Amino acid sequence: MPTGPGAPEGAAGESRARRVSPGEAEVSSGLDRAIRGHFVAEWRAKNRETMSTTRHQSKAADSDQASPEAPKLHIVTFGCQMNKYDSSLVEGRFAKRGYQTTDQPSEADVLLFNTCSVRDHAEERTWSWIGELKKLKQEKPELVVGVLGCMAQRVEEEVFRRAGHVDLVAGTRQFHHLPRMVEDLLERRQTPGMMPKEMRLLSTDMSSDVEVDREGTEYTGGLHAYLAVMRGCDLNCTYCIVPTTRGRVRSRAIDDLVGEARWLVDQGVKVLTLLGQTINSYGEDFPAPHQEADAATGSGRQGRPSLADLLRRLQEIEGLERIRMITLHPSYVTPAFAEAIRDCDKVDRFLPLPAQAGSDALLKRMKRGYTLDLYRKRVEILRSIVPDIELGSDWIVGFCGETEEEFQGTLDFLEEQEFLVNYVFKYDPRPGTRAEDEREDDIPDAVKKERNQRLLQAAERVQRKRFARYQGQVVRVMVESQSTRDERVLLGRSTQGMPVSFEAGPEWVGRMVDVEIHESTAYGMGGSLVQPAGQA
């Protein structure tokens, strides 16, 4: 299961995705108590979402801009980073129509659920939330209830059959039509003689692109923002539902992406995370440019624009401090991509490059499109050109037919590659995937759980070893927030994507600083601020 768009934000667990929390392992005893306490508490708070399907909800409009007369919108967002990005686009579209967000679902005039379909648990959780709204809809019949996103795309009219109080269903490429759909529904409600079934709307066509129009809207997400550079996936991994729910790849033009990035930076954003299901395949779907002698061509296949070209353009944006990416596929790692990372100092030296398994036979059954040897060659490209790069991986445990020998290969490959971050998933069959249709889910749950724990333990050992390499070094850190537990402690991420805690004042939030690392755990590091001369 990818860590990027289309997967829950998080990882390994018993019956669903979960990332190991620092509370599950002994934190280095020498770590300063204030930093250590903050580090564990902050990770629990920030990564609580990784223990299950991520859920985010709309925030209330700023009090100085709030109007009691304005219609109210509330969006509940489940799942991946792409869903969070899409929900922000939807909020912007409604804002142009005079709507204001509310943090209280009971106050909303329009209540939308942006859904995830990557795991059965994600869908069941959404159904539960939608079901709880039945009473509210009875008390407030004028409320418009909508279901959006991947689950909506997958089940379509089943939403109306299972939840009769839902008014509209919109697929993954229909977000920009939502305000018009709501207006249409409200007009139908005023039309005499309309049957209840005629007062519902279903729109799941995937033939068009999502229109992104930020003009006249405001970004309220703080220092960090997501930027979807592409949608969909052209691969056909046998376990994955994403091509069904998100469609084929559609890359956005570089000029459009740079324009949106500049808009975000003008709104105060300092860190951009670029989103794509296989983000380093960006541009592969563009038509090949004419090969004229004086034509400007990109660094991609046959001169197409590529992710490397986009990174170089984003590097030029004044005020943008950090550029991150999720998620990558080994098949699309190229020297040009690695060279762009090397040349662009704003680009983080951390890449999620999911291996998924450490057995060629398993990878073939998953239809991943590479062997372990090819994966090693792609990693060698990255590490030879960008020596300070760190990698993360996803792993699927208990996939169809997995033998003990194949699982041991996964353990060995994790140890061999020394991944800094590891996300472990128990295999969960999804309707409509080739694995669910053609293969038996034949690994007992008890075996999945046991292998899951062994892989988590191996990941912890490797991560502890990898983090320990930075003790005594000075690392560059983007300071992201002040501790909610101790205001003297700040939390940031190094250019290798590593969580770093240290004591300093709030004036450093949003800035790049140097931190000397004193102690490390399997999940992050603690240190002290190295202040520039004259600022001690």
Side-chain angles (χ1 to χ4, degrees):
M1 306 283 178
T3 54
E9 276 189 273
E14 294 258 318
S15 61
R16 56 185 180 268
R18 177 173 66 86
R19 185 175 185 172
V20 191
S21 108
E24 296 176 336
E26 180 183 357
V27 180
S28 179
S29 59
L31 199 60
D32 178 86
R33 287 185 178 274
I35 295 178
R36 180 179 62 197
H38 155 79
F39 182 70
V40 174
E42 201 74 11
W43 261 81
R44 282 174 174 164
K46 285 183 174 291
N47 291 288
R48 188 173 294 116
E49 61 193 47
T50 70
M51 300 301 181
S52 61
T53 305
T54 312
R55 186 188 78 240
H56 297 272
Q57 295 180 244
S58 293
K59 298 178 181 178
D62 292 339
S63 56
D64 59 343
Q65 298 178 353
S67 168
E69 293 81 22
K72 301 296 190 295
L73 169 73
H74 185 86
I75 306 178
V76 182
T77 305
F78 295 93
C80 69
Q81 300 91 335
M82 184 71 83
N83 279 7
K84 291 168 67 177
Y85 172 80
D86 287 337
S87 290
S88 72
L89 295 181
V90 173
E91 289 182 346
R93 288 274 177 169
F94 276 94
K96 288 187 174 184
R97 304 294 182 101
Y99 280 76
Q100 291 181 350
T101 55
T102 174
D103 58 358
Q104 299 298 318
S106 59
E107 296 179 355
D109 299 288
V110 177
L111 183 52
L112 305 176
F113 291 84
N114 194 357
T115 61
C116 175
S117 195
V118 74
R119 300 180 69 81
D120 181 65
H121 171 76
E123 290 195 1
E124 288 305 316
R125 193 158 177 236
T126 302
W127 286 122
S128 177
W129 268 70
I130 295 172
E132 292 176 4
L133 279 184
K134 188 173 183 179
K135 182 178 180 181
L136 177 61
K137 185 64 181 280
Q138 291 172 341
E139 297 172 351
K140 193 176 180 180
E142 70 277 10
L143 174 67
V144 173
V145 178
V147 179
L148 330 172
C150 289
M151 189 184 86
Q153 189 73 51
R154 190 183 76 80
V155 304
E156 298 185 311
E157 291 186 356
E158 183 183 340
V159 175
F160 297 135
R161 293 193 293 270
R162 290 188 59 171
H165 52 289
V166 172
D167 300 296
L168 67 86
V169 173
T172 55
R173 298 194 178 182
Q174 296 296 309
F175 298 113
H176 51 290
H177 296 310
L178 280 165
R180 178 189 55 76
M181 292 173 68
V182 169
E183 290 172 1
D184 190 3
L185 275 171
L186 296 177
E187 289 178 6
R188 293 187 184 197
R189 289 178 178 180
Q190 302 302 315
T191 303
M194 273 280 185
M195 299 295 292
K197 289 185 177 181
E198 296 176 306
M199 289 188 283
R200 292 173 174 171
L201 285 178
L202 171 69
S203 182
T204 55
D205 178 68
M206 286 199 290
S207 61
S208 61
D209 294 330
V210 174
E211 297 176 9
V212 179
D213 179 12
R214 299 284 205 170
E215 190 68 29
T217 64
E218 182 180 2
Y219 180 75
T220 58
L223 298 174
H224 177 264
Y226 295 112
L227 178 62
V229 307
M230 59 193 293
R231 289 178 182 272
C233 183
D234 283 347
L235 302 180
N236 292 288
C237 300
T238 57
Y239 54 81
C240 187
I241 192 68
V242 170
T244 300
T245 59
R246 289 281 181 180
R248 311 310 292 177
V249 165
R250 296 284 187 86
S251 299
R252 294 174 58 193
I254 287 183
D255 285 346
D256 292 344
L257 293 168
V258 172
E260 185 176 357
R262 291 187 187 279
W263 177 86
L264 287 164
V265 172
D266 289 343
Q267 300 277 324
V269 168
K270 292 182 178 294
V271 181
L272 272 182
T273 297
L274 310 184
L275 302 179
Q277 191 62 30
T278 52
I279 193 170
N280 52 330
S281 72
Y282 169 82
E284 286 285 311
D285 58 310
F286 287 143
H290 296 295
Q291 298 298 312
E292 300 173 0
D294 58 346
T297 58
S299 62
R301 183 169 54 91
Q302 296 179 311
R304 291 172 171 83
S306 73
L307 185 60
D309 302 311
L310 175 61
L311 293 178
R312 293 182 187 278
R313 289 283 302 278
L314 294 175
Q315 170 77 15
E316 299 171 0
I317 297 179
E318 186 176 351
L320 179 62
E321 295 283 355
R322 305 306 309 156
I323 303 168
R324 298 167 181 166
M325 294 170 277
I326 48 176
T327 190
L328 289 83
H329 191 280
S331 296
Y332 299 104
V333 172
T334 65
F337 172 61
E339 289 163 3
I341 297 174
R342 177 197 64 196
D343 297 342
C344 298
D345 62 2
K346 294 182 180 180
V347 178
D348 270 7
R349 268 61 176 158
F350 172 80
L351 295 178
L353 191 68
Q356 302 295 9
S359 156
D360 285 344
L362 266 176
L363 292 172
K364 186 175 182 179
R365 294 202 295 276
M366 293 176 177
K367 202 177 178 183
R368 284 292 289 168
Y370 54 84
T371 62
L372 296 182
D373 188 52
L374 179 61
Y375 188 100
R376 293 183 180 103
K377 290 177 180 177
R378 297 297 190 263
V379 170
E380 177 58 28
I381 290 173
L382 290 169
R383 288 177 169 161
S384 63
I385 296 175
V386 193
D388 60 340
I389 202 161
E390 295 284 356
L391 301 177
S393 180
D394 298 351
W395 306 96
I396 296 177
V397 171
F399 187 68
C400 308
E402 182 185 67
T403 66
E404 178 62 27
E405 181 181 5
E406 289 170 342
F407 175 70
Q408 183 61 48
T410 296
L411 291 170
D412 294 343
F413 200 61
L414 187 155
E415 298 266 5
E416 171 194 314
Q417 293 297 319
E418 293 190 346
F419 295 99
L420 182 76
V421 176
N422 293 275
Y423 293 95
V424 181
F425 297 81
K426 289 195 318 178
Y427 173 61
D428 178 19
R430 302 304 298 129
T433 61
R434 287 186 58 188
E436 199 271 344
D437 292 340
E438 301 174 7
R439 296 187 179 277
E440 181 183 358
D441 180 22
D442 55 356
I443 307 302
D445 194 57
V447 175
K448 289 182 182 179
K449 288 182 178 179
E450 189 270 340
R451 291 177 179 173
N452 184 86
Q453 290 305 310
R454 285 162 61 192
L455 193 54
L456 287 175
Q457 291 164 8
E460 183 180 322
R461 289 194 303 271
V462 169
Q463 291 168 194
R464 187 178 297 278
K465 176 182 176 182
R466 199 74 186 174
F467 275 102
R469 295 171 69 247
Y470 290 89
Q471 287 183 214
Q473 295 187 27
V474 174
V475 300
R476 195 76 174 146
V477 174
M478 177 66 195
V479 186
E480 298 182 341
S481 63
Q482 195 173 14
S483 170
T484 56
R485 173 173 172 163
D486 186 340
E487 63 181 13
R488 298 171 300 172
V489 177
L490 302 181
L491 178 67
R493 285 189 180 272
S494 75
T495 54
Q496 283 77 27
M498 299 174 291
V500 178
S501 295
F502 61 97
E503 290 189 359
E507 68 273 13
W508 297 102
V509 173
R511 298 168 63 179
M512 294 291 297
V513 301
D514 290 327
V515 176
E516 183 177 359
I517 302 304
H518 303 312
E519 297 285 353
S520 66
T521 74
Y523 314 99
M525 306 181 297
S528 58
L529 178 67
V530 179
Q531 295 195 23
Q535 295 189 31

